[in-house]
Amino acid sequence: MTRSTHTLTLAQGTVDVAVDLYGQEGHSGQAGHPFLLLHGGGGPQTVTPFAGFLAAQRPARVFAPVHPGFDGTDRPEWLTDVTTLAQVYAELLDALDLRDVAVVGNSIGGWTAAELAALGSDRISSVTLVNAVGLSVAGHPIAETFSLTPVELSRLSFHDPSKFRFDPGKLTDAQRAVMAANRATLQVYSGPHDMADPTLTERLAKVAHPTLVAWGASDQVVDADYGRAYAQAIPGAEFLLLEGTGHMPQAETPEQLLPVLWDFADAHATDLPQH
């Protein structure tokens, strides 16, 4: 893994974005297929192992940015919502001069991926939303996670919480500080409607990229019917239920998620190295 920092300029101002890159080349010396992997509210560590796994198992270059404000990075005052964060990542794809990009996002990263798809960048070849939030679905509210302890959140997030036991007492002061800052940043991005934007539906109707909505069946943060509504809001989107996994399949069942992501990217790429 290598980390680089990119200073991006938008109409609102400049922002520094740290990007971790996993995998350099594909098989036979070909450049690996680019994936933009967007993390959820738990921070970059929720996708870091999967990014390495994907790059090791397939000819992929996985670009995993840190949302500004997470993990000690700076967030400019004007960057306060997911719609603007998506504009940042559209600018990042331009700065990196990437093409044929498979965009993948989990949770609030999935919301960001959906907003990025709605911008219509011709650098993107496919979009996969993994247990995304951001949509308002009647009768299927998003769990109020900010009031939960880490243990309570784990019970909602995983098919088998026993494998992800968390002991807050073992955290260092530095780790607590990072978690608190991440939580504060997440609250800023989540907006006044707690992880949802009532205007998102109209933007999703404009998405023209091939889109897959993949959903952990055991998710109690956002249930499977919420996921089905997400797919219905995007023209031509496919919906795939992932059994035996919850809100973060990339962490709980990476070996199940990986072929799903790769096969969808493969089916819609214009220049994908063969595995």
Side-chain angles (χ1 to χ4, degrees):
M1 185 273 284
T2 57
R3 171 167 287 197
S4 57
T5 300
H6 303 266
T7 301
L8 307 174
T9 302
L10 282 74
Q12 299 93 328
T14 61
V15 57
D16 289 336
V17 178
V19 181
D20 293 334
L21 172 61
Y22 299 80
Q24 298 293 336
E25 292 185 339
H27 297 194
S28 304
Q30 292 178 295
H33 185 69
F35 281 74
L36 181 69
L37 182 60
L38 303 176
H39 68 79
Q45 69 272 18
T46 60
V47 299
T48 294
F50 185 78
F53 182 56
L54 174 57
Q57 296 294 320
R58 298 291 190 273
R61 287 179 297 150
V62 184
F63 296 84
V66 179
H67 304 328
F70 278 85
D71 274 22
T73 60
D74 291 329
R75 178 187 58 81
E77 290 185 3
W78 51 264
L79 182 51
T80 59
D81 56 71
V82 173
T83 308
T84 308
L85 183 60
Q87 294 170 6
V88 170
Y89 290 134
E91 187 66 28
L92 177 66
L93 295 182
D94 288 343
L96 295 172
D97 194 24
L98 296 178
R99 298 190 179 278
D100 202 21
V101 179
V103 178
V104 179
N106 171 240
S107 194
I108 198 170
W111 179 4
T112 310
E115 296 277 16
L116 179 57
L119 293 175
S121 171
D122 61 4
R123 296 182 179 276
I124 297 171
S125 56
S126 68
V127 179
T128 301
L129 310 180
V130 184
N131 295 73
V133 296
L135 200 63
S136 294
V137 180
H140 298 276
I142 301 165
E144 203 336 283
T145 59
F146 290 117
S147 63
L148 302 178
T149 67
V151 174
E152 290 169 336
L153 181 57
S154 179
R155 292 196 190 107
L156 297 183
S157 298
F158 296 109
H159 175 76
D160 185 358
S162 69
K163 295 180 180 179
F164 298 89
R165 287 199 173 120
F166 177 77
D167 183 359
K170 293 183 178 179
L171 292 174
T172 65
D173 288 344
Q175 288 172 324
R176 291 178 191 278
V178 168
M179 284 186 66
N182 285 353
R183 188 183 184 90
T185 299
L186 180 61
Q187 285 184 297
V188 171
Y189 284 133
S190 70
H193 301 285
D194 292 329
M195 295 292 181
D197 182 345
T199 68
L200 178 60
T201 303
E202 61 192 58
R203 291 191 294 282
L204 293 181
K206 302 173 185 176
V207 173
H209 300 297
T211 302
L212 171 66
V213 178
W215 220 264
S218 299
D219 190 359
Q220 297 181 68
V221 177
V222 273
D223 65 25
D225 283 341
Y226 179 99
R228 292 184 179 93
Y230 225 119
Q232 290 169 0
I234 300 171
E238 301 175 32
F239 178 80
L240 180 64
L241 194 64
L242 305 173
E243 297 291 349
T245 194
H247 188 62
M248 294 184 285
Q250 77 280 359
E252 189 167 15
T253 55
E255 70 291 335
Q256 181 185 14
L257 183 63
L258 185 141
V260 168
L261 299 185
W262 182 264
D263 290 350
F264 190 73
D266 191 358
H268 297 287
T270 57
D271 185 25
L272 186 63
Q274 295 301 305
H275 175 58

